[in-house]
């Protein structure tokens, strides 16, 4: 049974078809690109999935909602990877500057990597819990997809905020 659940959970992110990402991804990309601050970026969460659900035949079925949420999570994951890379680059540069006078304090990049790895484990565990809370109910797929989308979006926004705090 555990192996079956692991297989289901592993397959869920792949459920976002290229079609949904291609057809609706611009909604989220445009919103994120024009958002002036973290609050405005957070307001982008769900816009793509909502449009996808409203526009697709069967978009408000369990499967349709899951596909649309996974598609939005895929776009947020792209933002997350970009924000992590930019934040890592910022941390490395700040560490290099700091190392001149305080080498023992130049640990931003290492701490960021450790935090990101821990966050990924936390997100995966938290979203597995969201899935498990619904037992055999069909809402489990929607709960998992929504959890991944929301947590990924929040982390992307938070990573960007770490850099913006010092600009």
């Amino acid at each position: 049974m555990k192996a079956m659940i692991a297989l289901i959970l592993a397959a869920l992110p792949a459920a976002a078809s290229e079609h949904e990402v291609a057809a609706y991804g611009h909604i989220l990309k445009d919103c994120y690109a024009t958002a002036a601050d973290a609050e405005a970026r957070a307001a982008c969460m769900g816009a793509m999935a909502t449009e996808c659900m409203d526009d697709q035949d069967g978009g408000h079925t369990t499967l349709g909602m899951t596909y649309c949420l996974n598609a939005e999570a895929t776009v947020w994951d792209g933002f997350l990877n970009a924000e992590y890379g930019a934040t890592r680059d910022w941390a490395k540069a700040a560490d290099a500057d700091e190392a001149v006078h305080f080498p023992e304090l130049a640990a931003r990049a290492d701490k960021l990597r450790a935090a990101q790895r821990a966050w990924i484990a936390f997100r995966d565990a938290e979203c597995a819990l969201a899935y498990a809370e619904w037992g055999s109910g069909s809402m489990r797929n929607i709960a998992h997809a929504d959890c991944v989308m929301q947590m990924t979006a929040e982390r992307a926004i938070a990573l960007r905020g770490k850099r913006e705090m010092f600009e």
Side-chain angles (χ1 to χ4, degrees), residues 45-100:
M45 281 191 277
M48 178 184 158
T50 298
E51 182 68 26
C52 175
M53 288 178 221
D54 289 347
D55 192 50
Q56 296 265 342
D57 285 338
H60 287 283
T61 65
T62 300
L63 190 57
M65 293 169 77
T66 302
Y67 278 172
C68 292
L69 288 164
N70 281 333
E72 182 165 334
T74 298
V75 176
W76 279 111
D77 191 58
F79 294 149
L80 174 67
N81 290 327
E83 297 296 0
Y84 176 76
T87 304
R88 184 192 61 230
D89 292 347
W90 166 84
K92 286 180 179 180
D95 285 346
D97 289 344
E98 190 93 52
V100 173

Side-chain angles (χ1 to χ4, degrees), residues 15-67:
S17 77
E18 292 178 24
H19 169 74
E20 284 87 6
V21 172
Y24 304 101
H26 68 91
I27 295 166
L28 180 52
K29 290 173 185 175
D30 292 347
C31 184
Y32 195 79
T34 60
D37 57 23
E39 185 177 336
R41 287 186 280 278
C44 297
M45 281 191 277
M48 178 184 158
T50 298
E51 182 68 26
C52 175
M53 288 178 221
D54 289 347
D55 192 50
Q56 296 265 342
D57 285 338
H60 287 283
T61 65
T62 300
L63 190 57
M65 293 169 77
T66 302
Y67 278 172

Side-chain angles (χ1 to χ4, degrees), residues 54-164:
D54 289 347
D55 192 50
Q56 296 265 342
D57 285 338
H60 287 283
T61 65
T62 300
L63 190 57
M65 293 169 77
T66 302
Y67 278 172
C68 292
L69 288 164
N70 281 333
E72 182 165 334
T74 298
V75 176
W76 279 111
D77 191 58
F79 294 149
L80 174 67
N81 290 327
E83 297 296 0
Y84 176 76
T87 304
R88 184 192 61 230
D89 292 347
W90 166 84
K92 286 180 179 180
D95 285 346
D97 289 344
E98 190 93 52
V100 173
H101 300 291
F102 303 101
E104 70 280 4
L105 299 177
R108 290 171 189 88
D110 290 342
K111 299 300 181 184
L112 174 64
R113 183 181 61 242
Q116 188 66 10
R117 288 177 177 169
W119 175 82
I120 290 167
F122 174 70
R123 180 202 57 195
D124 292 350
E126 189 70 13
C127 293
L129 172 61
Y131 180 89
E133 287 172 336
W134 289 93
S136 63
S138 63
M139 275 297 296
R140 67 186 181 272
N141 294 320
I142 296 168
H144 180 269
D146 187 56
C147 178
V148 170
M149 184 273 291
Q150 295 236 5
M151 290 188 75
T152 303
E154 290 166 357
R155 183 63 177 168
I157 294 165
L159 286 170
R160 185 167 179 169
K162 291 183 183 308
R163 293 189 323 278
E164 289 178 340

